[in-house]
Amino acid sequence: MTQVIDTLHAVGVTSGSGVELLIHIGVDTVVMNGQGFKASVKTGQKITMGQPLIYFDSKAIKDAGHPDAIAVIVTNGDEYQAVELVASGEVAPGAPLLKLK
């Protein structure tokens, strides 16, 4: 785990192969100051595929007036020829989401 943001709305992950991801929960949820979020990992912790990172209350996000969409961003995408989305919507833990070339 590269980073768990203090307000718990986002995490940074670096894979063993060097892929850097930003996982951002909701839109403008930083203003919620962690309310409705609970981290299950810490910065610097080794994680495994399918492991829960952040628990969040979708209803609390919506009640605060924010969309509860989750963005997964390859922050070092310029190091790859292509980043292909292979799944969308609700994705099962451990299932492929992106393909990098």
Side-chain angles (χ1 to χ4, degrees):
M1 179 60 50
T2 306
Q3 184 176 17
V4 177
I5 305 301
D6 292 341
T7 53
L8 307 178
H9 72 287
V11 295
V13 178
T14 302
S15 76
S17 63
V19 178
E20 298 173 3
L21 299 175
L22 169 66
I23 303 169
H24 192 285
I25 303 164
V27 177
D28 293 330
T29 49
V30 66
V31 300
M32 294 177 68
N33 292 316
Q35 201 168 28
F37 297 89
K38 182 180 178 185
S40 61
V41 294
K42 296 178 182 174
T43 298
Q45 178 181 341
K46 184 175 173 107
I47 59 173
T48 58
M49 184 170 42
Q51 178 179 352
L53 305 176
I54 300 283
Y55 292 98
F56 62 94
D57 183 342
S58 184
K59 184 178 181 324
I61 293 170
K62 290 177 184 176
D63 287 351
H66 307 289
D68 65 348
I70 299 172
V72 179
I73 302 155
V74 180
T75 57
N76 64 337
D78 58 340
E79 296 178 18
Y80 301 91
Q81 292 177 345
V83 177
E84 179 184 339
L85 183 66
V86 296
S88 63
E90 190 169 328
V91 180
L97 177 64
L98 302 169
K99 183 177 181 180
L100 303 172
K101 299 177 183 177

